[in-house]
Amino acid sequence: MIKKVLFIVCLSALLGSCNNSKTPQYSDTSTSGEINIAVDESLRPIIEAEKDVFVALYPEAKVNIIYTNESEAINLLSKDSSRIAIVSRDLLPAERSSFETRKIYPKSIVIGYDAIGIIMNPARKDTVLTIDQITKLLNGTYKTWKDLDTKNNGDGLRIVFDNTRSSAVRQLKDSLLKGAALATHCYAVNGNPEVITQVEKDKNTIGIIGVSWISDKDDTTTNNFLNRVKVASLVPVNPATAEAPVMKPYQAYIALKQYPLYRNIYIINPEGRYGLGTGFASFINSDKGQRIILKSGLVPAKAPVRIIQLNND
């Protein structure tokens, strides 16, 4: 009888230990506690604005943001080093399957739309590009400025982007190069501000940048960047039906999905409970959070954007 009682006690303790190991104890709520989230660095300005308002409204919440490349942001999420990820693509099937094998079912929500901007040195006059020209710049068909326009000299050109695993370059490779390698004159630096610095210093360099770094005209940092470089205009894919023959990455053209290099902004949330990660994601998707996106010059997924047509006559 004593042996039987001891066996039951030991079994209960073992089961209790197993249950505790499988059920993490969280101390955060939707508006309090401390978490890490991972964010694509190209989206830093808009997510900083969202975080600043969120923690001002909820002072018991501490949101630590890890700004990194898109691939590493999803990697941190998969290792549970980040509670949510904010990136410019959805999970790939293999990535989603990796979560699901652990009985985790991430939700992907589009919270807004931004774009990829092409920037040039202020000394450049030929700042209108077609998608075909961008493709040839990236794949190496165009190696000099004369290749781009016969009126130019034969100086070699360079393409600079934010990091070796850039989400902007990933999108351009997928959509324009069909996965092919970049030309040897393409190189990475360390973040979008450094892209701007490189373009400002070298008239032969073309930059690829996340538009959120140059979209908020009320921000002093944005205006500083815009004073240092030129933003190229792109010819829309379907000029006959577009609102304008050439387009910069303005809010209206992104909203209409006529600017050729627009993209989605996703929150990927595997939290599975109403914790601080879900609370922050819900805030960004709320009316207040969407208006922050609108004010920044990007396009919210839910709040309306007014398109005003100006006639010349």
Side-chain angles (χ1 to χ4, degrees), residues 37 39 46-51 54 58 63 65 84-86 109-112 265-267 277-294 300-303:
I37 70 170
V39 177
I46 182 58
I47 301 307
E48 277 293 297
E50 296 281 2
K51 186 196 84 167
F54 182 78
Y58 307 107
V63 179
I65 303 183
I84 61 174
I86 304 178
I109 303 170
V110 175
I111 57 167
I265 306 173
Y266 291 89
I267 285 183
T278 299
F280 186 56
S282 297
F283 170 77
I284 296 176
N285 206 35
S286 71
D287 180 71
K288 191 180 293 291
Q290 291 286 285
R291 289 185 182 279
I292 293 171
I293 294 175
L294 182 66
K302 294 168 72 172

mmCIF file of all heavy atoms in Angstrom, residues 37 39 46-51 54 58 63 65 84-86 109-112 265-267 277-294 300-303:
data_model
loop_
_atom_site.group_PDB
_atom_site.id
_atom_site.type_symbol
_atom_site.label_atom_id
_atom_site.label_comp_id
_atom_site.label_asym_id
_atom_site.label_seq_id
_atom_site.Cartn_x
_atom_site.Cartn_y
_atom_site.Cartn_z
ATOM 1 N N ILE A 37 10.069 42.614 -30.235
ATOM 2 C CA ILE A 37 9.497 42.365 -31.551
ATOM 3 C C ILE A 37 10.578 42.624 -32.595
ATOM 4 O O ILE A 37 11.489 43.423 -32.374
ATOM 5 C CB ILE A 37 8.239 43.210 -31.832
ATOM 6 C CG1 ILE A 37 8.583 44.688 -32.017
ATOM 7 C CG2 ILE A 37 7.217 43.046 -30.731
ATOM 8 C CD1 ILE A 37 7.412 45.499 -32.516
ATOM 9 N N VAL A 39 11.610 43.738 -36.510
ATOM 10 C CA VAL A 39 11.076 44.590 -37.574
ATOM 11 C C VAL A 39 12.111 44.754 -38.681
ATOM 12 O O VAL A 39 13.296 44.987 -38.401
ATOM 13 C CB VAL A 39 10.684 45.987 -37.019
ATOM 14 C CG1 VAL A 39 10.195 46.906 -38.132
ATOM 15 C CG2 VAL A 39 9.616 45.844 -35.937
ATOM 16 N N ILE A 46 8.174 54.269 -39.547
ATOM 17 C CA ILE A 46 6.741 54.147 -39.246
ATOM 18 C C ILE A 46 6.514 53.332 -37.974
ATOM 19 O O ILE A 46 5.645 53.672 -37.154
ATOM 20 C CB ILE A 46 5.963 53.531 -40.445
ATOM 21 C CG1 ILE A 46 4.480 53.456 -40.127
ATOM 22 C CG2 ILE A 46 6.488 52.181 -40.847
ATOM 23 C CD1 ILE A 46 3.831 54.780 -39.801
ATOM 24 N N ILE A 47 7.317 52.299 -37.742
ATOM 25 C CA ILE A 47 7.119 51.483 -36.535
ATOM 26 C C ILE A 47 7.578 52.239 -35.294
ATOM 27 O O ILE A 47 6.985 52.102 -34.217
ATOM 28 C CB ILE A 47 7.832 50.123 -36.672
ATOM 29 C CG1 ILE A 47 7.295 49.370 -37.901
ATOM 30 C CG2 ILE A 47 7.627 49.282 -35.416
ATOM 31 C CD1 ILE A 47 5.769 49.216 -37.933
ATOM 32 N N GLU A 48 8.605 53.072 -35.414
ATOM 33 C CA GLU A 48 9.005 53.928 -34.286
ATOM 34 C C GLU A 48 7.867 54.871 -33.902
ATOM 35 O O GLU A 48 7.601 55.095 -32.719
ATOM 36 C CB GLU A 48 10.247 54.741 -34.663
ATOM 37 C CG GLU A 48 11.547 53.996 -34.489
ATOM 38 C CD GLU A 48 11.864 53.686 -33.034
ATOM 39 O OE1 GLU A 48 12.044 54.626 -32.241
ATOM 40 O OE2 GLU A 48 11.928 52.482 -32.688
ATOM 41 N N ALA A 49 7.202 55.434 -34.916
ATOM 42 C CA ALA A 49 6.081 56.341 -34.634
ATOM 43 C C ALA A 49 4.946 55.595 -33.937
ATOM 44 O O ALA A 49 4.340 56.115 -32.979
ATOM 45 C CB ALA A 49 5.583 56.964 -35.941
ATOM 46 N N GLU A 50 4.658 54.378 -34.378
ATOM 47 C CA GLU A 50 3.609 53.573 -33.740
ATOM 48 C C GLU A 50 3.976 53.244 -32.299
ATOM 49 O O GLU A 50 3.151 53.363 -31.384
ATOM 50 C CB GLU A 50 3.383 52.278 -34.530
ATOM 51 C CG GLU A 50 2.866 52.444 -35.946
ATOM 52 C CD GLU A 50 1.374 52.724 -36.018
ATOM 53 O OE1 GLU A 50 0.729 52.839 -34.955
ATOM 54 O OE2 GLU A 50 0.850 52.817 -37.137
ATOM 55 N N LYS A 51 5.214 52.860 -32.072
ATOM 56 C CA LYS A 51 5.648 52.492 -30.716
ATOM 57 C C LYS A 51 5.583 53.685 -29.770
ATOM 58 O O LYS A 51 5.135 53.550 -28.622
ATOM 59 C CB LYS A 51 7.079 51.942 -30.756
ATOM 60 C CG LYS A 51 7.558 51.401 -29.405
ATOM 61 C CD LYS A 51 9.047 51.214 -29.347
ATOM 62 C CE LYS A 51 9.744 52.507 -28.980
ATOM 63 N NZ LYS A 51 11.163 52.326 -28.611
ATOM 64 N N PHE A 54 2.021 54.225 -28.754
ATOM 65 C CA PHE A 54 1.527 53.095 -27.967
ATOM 66 C C PHE A 54 2.021 53.160 -26.523
ATOM 67 O O PHE A 54 1.236 53.032 -25.580
ATOM 68 C CB PHE A 54 1.947 51.776 -28.623
ATOM 69 C CG PHE A 54 1.459 50.551 -27.911
ATOM 70 C CD1 PHE A 54 0.146 50.127 -28.051
ATOM 71 C CD2 PHE A 54 2.309 49.802 -27.100
ATOM 72 C CE1 PHE A 54 -0.318 48.993 -27.391
ATOM 73 C CE2 PHE A 54 1.865 48.664 -26.445
ATOM 74 C CZ PHE A 54 0.545 48.264 -26.583
ATOM 75 N N TYR A 58 0.061 53.621 -23.020
ATOM 76 C CA TYR A 58 0.125 52.504 -22.064
ATOM 77 C C TYR A 58 1.514 52.477 -21.417
ATOM 78 O O TYR A 58 2.398 51.706 -21.828
ATOM 79 C CB TYR A 58 -0.185 51.181 -22.769
ATOM 80 C CG TYR A 58 -1.482 51.209 -23.523
ATOM 81 C CD1 TYR A 58 -1.502 51.258 -24.921
ATOM 82 C CD2 TYR A 58 -2.707 51.226 -22.855
ATOM 83 C CE1 TYR A 58 -2.702 51.309 -25.628
ATOM 84 C CE2 TYR A 58 -3.916 51.278 -23.546
ATOM 85 C CZ TYR A 58 -3.893 51.318 -24.929
ATOM 86 O OH TYR A 58 -5.085 51.371 -25.627
ATOM 87 N N VAL A 63 8.091 47.961 -25.149
ATOM 88 C CA VAL A 63 8.239 47.250 -26.423
ATOM 89 C C VAL A 63 9.675 47.456 -26.910
ATOM 90 O O VAL A 63 10.059 48.560 -27.293
ATOM 91 C CB VAL A 63 7.230 47.764 -27.469
ATOM 92 C CG1 VAL A 63 7.420 47.035 -28.793
ATOM 93 C CG2 VAL A 63 5.798 47.584 -26.962
ATOM 94 N N ILE A 65 12.280 46.884 -29.702
ATOM 95 C CA ILE A 65 12.240 46.577 -31.127
ATOM 96 C C ILE A 65 13.639 46.221 -31.624
ATOM 97 O O ILE A 65 14.596 46.976 -31.424
ATOM 98 C CB ILE A 65 11.674 47.751 -31.939
ATOM 99 C CG1 ILE A 65 10.276 48.123 -31.425
ATOM 100 C CG2 ILE A 65 11.615 47.391 -33.417
ATOM 101 C CD1 ILE A 65 9.593 49.220 -32.204
ATOM 102 N N ILE A 84 6.320 39.164 -32.128
ATOM 103 C CA ILE A 84 5.727 39.352 -33.453
ATOM 104 C C ILE A 84 6.824 39.840 -34.392
ATOM 105 O O ILE A 84 7.890 40.269 -33.950
ATOM 106 C CB ILE A 84 4.545 40.354 -33.457
ATOM 107 C CG1 ILE A 84 4.996 41.745 -33.005
ATOM 108 C CG2 ILE A 84 3.380 39.846 -32.629
ATOM 109 C CD1 ILE A 84 3.927 42.817 -33.129
ATOM 110 N N ALA A 85 6.557 39.773 -35.700
ATOM 111 C CA ALA A 85 7.477 40.314 -36.705
ATOM 112 C C ALA A 85 6.695 41.239 -37.621
ATOM 113 O O ALA A 85 5.537 40.972 -37.947
ATOM 114 C CB ALA A 85 8.139 39.198 -37.500
ATOM 115 N N ILE A 86 7.337 42.327 -38.032
ATOM 116 C CA ILE A 86 6.727 43.266 -38.976
ATOM 117 C C ILE A 86 7.663 43.350 -40.173
ATOM 118 O O ILE A 86 8.800 43.834 -40.057
ATOM 119 C CB ILE A 86 6.503 44.645 -38.337
ATOM 120 C CG1 ILE A 86 5.654 44.499 -37.068
ATOM 121 C CG2 ILE A 86 5.819 45.591 -39.325
ATOM 122 C CD1 ILE A 86 5.410 45.797 -36.311
ATOM 123 N N ILE A 109 -1.369 39.685 -40.984
ATOM 124 C CA ILE A 109 -2.305 40.791 -41.227
ATOM 125 C C ILE A 109 -1.589 41.877 -42.008
ATOM 126 O O ILE A 109 -0.486 42.294 -41.629
ATOM 127 C CB ILE A 109 -2.831 41.370 -39.900
ATOM 128 C CG1 ILE A 109 -3.509 40.287 -39.058
ATOM 129 C CG2 ILE A 109 -3.788 42.532 -40.151
ATOM 130 C CD1 ILE A 109 -3.824 40.731 -37.642
ATOM 131 N N VAL A 110 -2.206 42.323 -43.111
ATOM 132 C CA VAL A 110 -1.671 43.475 -43.843
ATOM 133 C C VAL A 110 -2.124 44.740 -43.110
ATOM 134 O O VAL A 110 -3.322 44.974 -42.944
ATOM 135 C CB VAL A 110 -2.162 43.494 -45.303
ATOM 136 C CG1 VAL A 110 -1.686 44.761 -46.008
ATOM 137 C CG2 VAL A 110 -1.671 42.258 -46.047
ATOM 138 N N ILE A 111 -1.159 45.530 -42.661
ATOM 139 C CA ILE A 111 -1.496 46.740 -41.900
ATOM 140 C C ILE A 111 -1.347 48.005 -42.740
ATOM 141 O O ILE A 111 -1.770 49.083 -42.323
ATOM 142 C CB ILE A 111 -0.624 46.867 -40.635
ATOM 143 C CG1 ILE A 111 0.864 46.870 -41.008
ATOM 144 C CG2 ILE A 111 -0.961 45.776 -39.633
ATOM 145 C CD1 ILE A 111 1.785 47.294 -39.893
ATOM 146 N N GLY A 112 -0.742 47.885 -43.900
ATOM 147 C CA GLY A 112 -0.565 49.065 -44.741
ATOM 148 C C GLY A 112 0.251 48.729 -45.978
ATOM 149 O O GLY A 112 0.603 47.569 -46.233
ATOM 150 N N ILE A 265 2.769 45.760 -46.103
ATOM 151 C CA ILE A 265 3.423 45.658 -44.793
ATOM 152 C C ILE A 265 2.619 44.657 -43.963
ATOM 153 O O ILE A 265 1.414 44.845 -43.768
ATOM 154 C CB ILE A 265 3.460 47.010 -44.064
ATOM 155 C CG1 ILE A 265 4.109 48.091 -44.938
ATOM 156 C CG2 ILE A 265 4.220 46.882 -42.741
ATOM 157 C CD1 ILE A 265 4.012 49.485 -44.337
ATOM 158 N N TYR A 266 3.286 43.624 -43.491
ATOM 159 C CA TYR A 266 2.619 42.557 -42.728
ATOM 160 C C TYR A 266 3.035 42.578 -41.261
ATOM 161 O O TYR A 266 4.206 42.818 -40.946
ATOM 162 C CB TYR A 266 3.015 41.178 -43.275
ATOM 163 C CG TYR A 266 2.482 40.833 -44.639
ATOM 164 C CD1 TYR A 266 3.198 41.173 -45.782
ATOM 165 C CD2 TYR A 266 1.283 40.138 -44.789
ATOM 166 C CE1 TYR A 266 2.736 40.839 -47.046
ATOM 167 C CE2 TYR A 266 0.810 39.791 -46.047
ATOM 168 C CZ TYR A 266 1.544 40.144 -47.169
ATOM 169 O OH TYR A 266 1.078 39.812 -48.413
ATOM 170 N N ILE A 267 2.074 42.285 -40.396
ATOM 171 C CA ILE A 267 2.392 41.852 -39.036
ATOM 172 C C ILE A 267 2.154 40.344 -38.994
ATOM 173 O O ILE A 267 1.078 39.866 -39.356
ATOM 174 C CB ILE A 267 1.507 42.539 -37.982
ATOM 175 C CG1 ILE A 267 1.945 43.986 -37.779
ATOM 176 C CG2 ILE A 267 1.595 41.800 -36.637
ATOM 177 C CD1 ILE A 267 1.169 44.716 -36.709
ATOM 178 N N GLY A 277 2.242 41.423 -27.464
ATOM 179 C CA GLY A 277 2.461 41.399 -28.909
ATOM 180 C C GLY A 277 1.166 41.601 -29.668
ATOM 181 O O GLY A 277 1.095 42.402 -30.608
ATOM 182 N N THR A 278 0.140 40.885 -29.255
ATOM 183 C CA THR A 278 -1.168 41.030 -29.883
ATOM 184 C C THR A 278 -1.747 42.414 -29.606
ATOM 185 O O THR A 278 -2.394 43.012 -30.475
ATOM 186 C CB THR A 278 -2.120 39.939 -29.378
ATOM 187 O OG1 THR A 278 -1.573 38.658 -29.726
ATOM 188 C CG2 THR A 278 -3.507 40.060 -29.998
ATOM 189 N N GLY A 279 -1.504 42.938 -28.409
ATOM 190 C CA GLY A 279 -1.988 44.280 -28.079
ATOM 191 C C GLY A 279 -1.361 45.338 -28.982
ATOM 192 O O GLY A 279 -2.051 46.240 -29.478
ATOM 193 N N PHE A 280 -0.048 45.223 -29.221
ATOM 194 C CA PHE A 280 0.631 46.181 -30.091
ATOM 195 C C PHE A 280 0.152 46.041 -31.537
ATOM 196 O O PHE A 280 -0.102 47.030 -32.221
ATOM 197 C CB PHE A 280 2.143 45.982 -30.006
ATOM 198 C CG PHE A 280 2.940 47.017 -30.755
ATOM 199 C CD1 PHE A 280 2.785 48.371 -30.496
ATOM 200 C CD2 PHE A 280 3.858 46.638 -31.721
ATOM 201 C CE1 PHE A 280 3.524 49.331 -31.187
ATOM 202 C CE2 PHE A 280 4.598 47.582 -32.416
ATOM 203 C CZ PHE A 280 4.433 48.932 -32.149
ATOM 204 N N ALA A 281 -0.010 44.792 -31.981
ATOM 205 C CA ALA A 281 -0.514 44.550 -33.339
ATOM 206 C C ALA A 281 -1.921 45.107 -33.499
ATOM 207 O O ALA A 281 -2.242 45.727 -34.528
ATOM 208 C CB ALA A 281 -0.496 43.058 -33.642
ATOM 209 N N SER A 282 -2.763 44.911 -32.495
ATOM 210 C CA SER A 282 -4.138 45.428 -32.548
ATOM 211 C C SER A 282 -4.149 46.946 -32.576
ATOM 212 O O SER A 282 -4.978 47.555 -33.263
ATOM 213 C CB SER A 282 -4.937 44.921 -31.346
ATOM 214 O OG SER A 282 -5.037 43.514 -31.374
ATOM 215 N N PHE A 283 -3.225 47.569 -31.838
ATOM 216 C CA PHE A 283 -3.144 49.031 -31.845
ATOM 217 C C PHE A 283 -2.801 49.545 -33.242
ATOM 218 O O PHE A 283 -3.420 50.490 -33.740
ATOM 219 C CB PHE A 283 -2.095 49.511 -30.837
ATOM 220 C CG PHE A 283 -1.783 50.974 -30.961
ATOM 221 C CD1 PHE A 283 -2.656 51.929 -30.459
ATOM 222 C CD2 PHE A 283 -0.631 51.409 -31.613
ATOM 223 C CE1 PHE A 283 -2.395 53.289 -30.596
ATOM 224 C CE2 PHE A 283 -0.358 52.757 -31.758
ATOM 225 C CZ PHE A 283 -1.246 53.698 -31.243
ATOM 226 N N ILE A 284 -1.804 48.939 -33.892
ATOM 227 C CA ILE A 284 -1.421 49.390 -35.234
ATOM 228 C C ILE A 284 -2.582 49.226 -36.207
ATOM 229 O O ILE A 284 -2.780 50.049 -37.105
ATOM 230 C CB ILE A 284 -0.181 48.616 -35.737
ATOM 231 C CG1 ILE A 284 1.032 48.928 -34.853
ATOM 232 C CG2 ILE A 284 0.128 48.962 -37.189
ATOM 233 C CD1 ILE A 284 2.276 48.148 -35.217
ATOM 234 N N ASN A 285 -3.381 48.194 -36.000
ATOM 235 C CA ASN A 285 -4.507 47.923 -36.892
ATOM 236 C C ASN A 285 -5.763 48.712 -36.508
ATOM 237 O O ASN A 285 -6.769 48.649 -37.210
ATOM 238 C CB ASN A 285 -4.816 46.423 -36.888
ATOM 239 C CG ASN A 285 -5.471 45.964 -38.169
ATOM 240 O OD1 ASN A 285 -5.164 46.474 -39.250
ATOM 241 N ND2 ASN A 285 -6.384 45.025 -38.068
ATOM 242 N N SER A 286 -5.700 49.452 -35.390
ATOM 243 C CA SER A 286 -6.848 50.242 -34.938
ATOM 244 C C SER A 286 -6.917 51.561 -35.701
ATOM 245 O O SER A 286 -6.011 51.915 -36.465
ATOM 246 C CB SER A 286 -6.728 50.538 -33.438
ATOM 247 O OG SER A 286 -5.676 51.474 -33.201
ATOM 248 N N ASP A 287 -7.986 52.311 -35.473
ATOM 249 C CA ASP A 287 -8.144 53.597 -36.148
ATOM 250 C C ASP A 287 -6.969 54.524 -35.849
ATOM 251 O O ASP A 287 -6.415 55.169 -36.739
ATOM 252 C CB ASP A 287 -9.459 54.246 -35.717
ATOM 253 C CG ASP A 287 -9.681 55.599 -36.385
ATOM 254 O OD1 ASP A 287 -9.939 55.618 -37.597
ATOM 255 O OD2 ASP A 287 -9.580 56.636 -35.695
ATOM 256 N N LYS A 288 -6.552 54.582 -34.581
ATOM 257 C CA LYS A 288 -5.440 55.466 -34.196
ATOM 258 C C LYS A 288 -4.141 55.037 -34.878
ATOM 259 O O LYS A 288 -3.391 55.864 -35.412
ATOM 260 C CB LYS A 288 -5.291 55.482 -32.672
ATOM 261 C CG LYS A 288 -4.335 56.567 -32.161
ATOM 262 C CD LYS A 288 -4.234 56.530 -30.660
ATOM 263 C CE LYS A 288 -5.528 56.930 -29.983
ATOM 264 N NZ LYS A 288 -5.834 58.367 -30.178
ATOM 265 N N GLY A 289 -3.867 53.738 -34.846
ATOM 266 C CA GLY A 289 -2.640 53.242 -35.467
ATOM 267 C C GLY A 289 -2.628 53.426 -36.970
ATOM 268 O O GLY A 289 -1.586 53.740 -37.563
ATOM 269 N N GLN A 290 -3.784 53.250 -37.599
ATOM 270 C CA GLN A 290 -3.881 53.430 -39.049
ATOM 271 C C GLN A 290 -3.699 54.894 -39.446
ATOM 272 O O GLN A 290 -3.141 55.210 -40.493
ATOM 273 C CB GLN A 290 -5.222 52.906 -39.551
ATOM 274 C CG GLN A 290 -5.361 51.383 -39.460
ATOM 275 C CD GLN A 290 -4.548 50.665 -40.533
ATOM 276 O OE1 GLN A 290 -4.927 50.634 -41.699
ATOM 277 N NE2 GLN A 290 -3.427 50.081 -40.143
ATOM 278 N N ARG A 291 -4.163 55.792 -38.587
ATOM 279 C CA ARG A 291 -3.986 57.223 -38.880
ATOM 280 C C ARG A 291 -2.517 57.645 -38.775
ATOM 281 O O ARG A 291 -2.080 58.580 -39.456
ATOM 282 C CB ARG A 291 -4.864 58.059 -37.954
ATOM 283 C CG ARG A 291 -6.339 57.942 -38.292
ATOM 284 C CD ARG A 291 -7.221 58.856 -37.481
ATOM 285 N NE ARG A 291 -8.617 58.644 -37.833
ATOM 286 C CZ ARG A 291 -9.215 59.169 -38.908
ATOM 287 N NH1 ARG A 291 -8.511 59.944 -39.731
ATOM 288 N NH2 ARG A 291 -10.475 58.933 -39.167
ATOM 289 N N ILE A 292 -1.757 56.958 -37.935
ATOM 290 C CA ILE A 292 -0.317 57.227 -37.871
ATOM 291 C C ILE A 292 0.340 56.853 -39.200
ATOM 292 O O ILE A 292 1.194 57.584 -39.716
ATOM 293 C CB ILE A 292 0.319 56.455 -36.695
ATOM 294 C CG1 ILE A 292 -0.202 57.009 -35.365
ATOM 295 C CG2 ILE A 292 1.844 56.529 -36.751
ATOM 296 C CD1 ILE A 292 0.188 56.182 -34.159
ATOM 297 N N ILE A 293 -0.068 55.716 -39.761
ATOM 298 C CA ILE A 293 0.446 55.305 -41.075
ATOM 299 C C ILE A 293 0.062 56.325 -42.135
ATOM 300 O O ILE A 293 0.880 56.734 -42.970
ATOM 301 C CB ILE A 293 -0.076 53.910 -41.448
ATOM 302 C CG1 ILE A 293 0.494 52.853 -40.492
ATOM 303 C CG2 ILE A 293 0.277 53.552 -42.894
ATOM 304 C CD1 ILE A 293 -0.043 51.448 -40.702
ATOM 305 N N LEU A 294 -1.189 56.783 -42.089
ATOM 306 C CA LEU A 294 -1.674 57.773 -43.058
ATOM 307 C C LEU A 294 -0.876 59.067 -42.972
ATOM 308 O O LEU A 294 -0.441 59.620 -43.989
ATOM 309 C CB LEU A 294 -3.159 58.041 -42.803
ATOM 310 C CG LEU A 294 -3.860 59.023 -43.750
ATOM 311 C CD1 LEU A 294 -3.918 58.469 -45.155
ATOM 312 C CD2 LEU A 294 -5.271 59.339 -43.240
ATOM 313 N N PRO A 300 -2.523 53.317 -45.205
ATOM 314 C CA PRO A 300 -3.075 52.362 -44.238
ATOM 315 C C PRO A 300 -3.936 51.312 -44.935
ATOM 316 O O PRO A 300 -4.514 51.571 -45.999
ATOM 317 C CB PRO A 300 -3.912 53.248 -43.314
ATOM 318 C CG PRO A 300 -4.284 54.423 -44.154
ATOM 319 C CD PRO A 300 -3.139 54.654 -45.093
ATOM 320 N N ALA A 301 -4.031 50.149 -44.326
ATOM 321 C CA ALA A 301 -4.833 49.080 -44.913
ATOM 322 C C ALA A 301 -6.318 49.323 -44.733
ATOM 323 O O ALA A 301 -7.133 48.885 -45.551
ATOM 324 C CB ALA A 301 -4.455 47.734 -44.288
ATOM 325 N N LYS A 302 -6.698 50.076 -43.679
ATOM 326 C CA LYS A 302 -8.118 50.225 -43.359
ATOM 327 C C LYS A 302 -8.639 51.645 -43.510
ATOM 328 O O LYS A 302 -9.710 51.855 -44.053
ATOM 329 C CB LYS A 302 -8.376 49.727 -41.933
ATOM 330 C CG LYS A 302 -8.147 48.236 -41.770
ATOM 331 C CD LYS A 302 -8.116 47.815 -40.315
ATOM 332 C CE LYS A 302 -9.476 47.852 -39.673
ATOM 333 N NZ LYS A 302 -9.451 47.258 -38.319
ATOM 334 N N ALA A 303 -7.897 52.635 -43.013
ATOM 335 C CA ALA A 303 -8.402 54.015 -43.056
ATOM 336 C C ALA A 303 -8.435 54.510 -44.494
ATOM 337 O O ALA A 303 -7.555 54.195 -45.294
ATOM 338 C CB ALA A 303 -7.522 54.922 -42.203
#
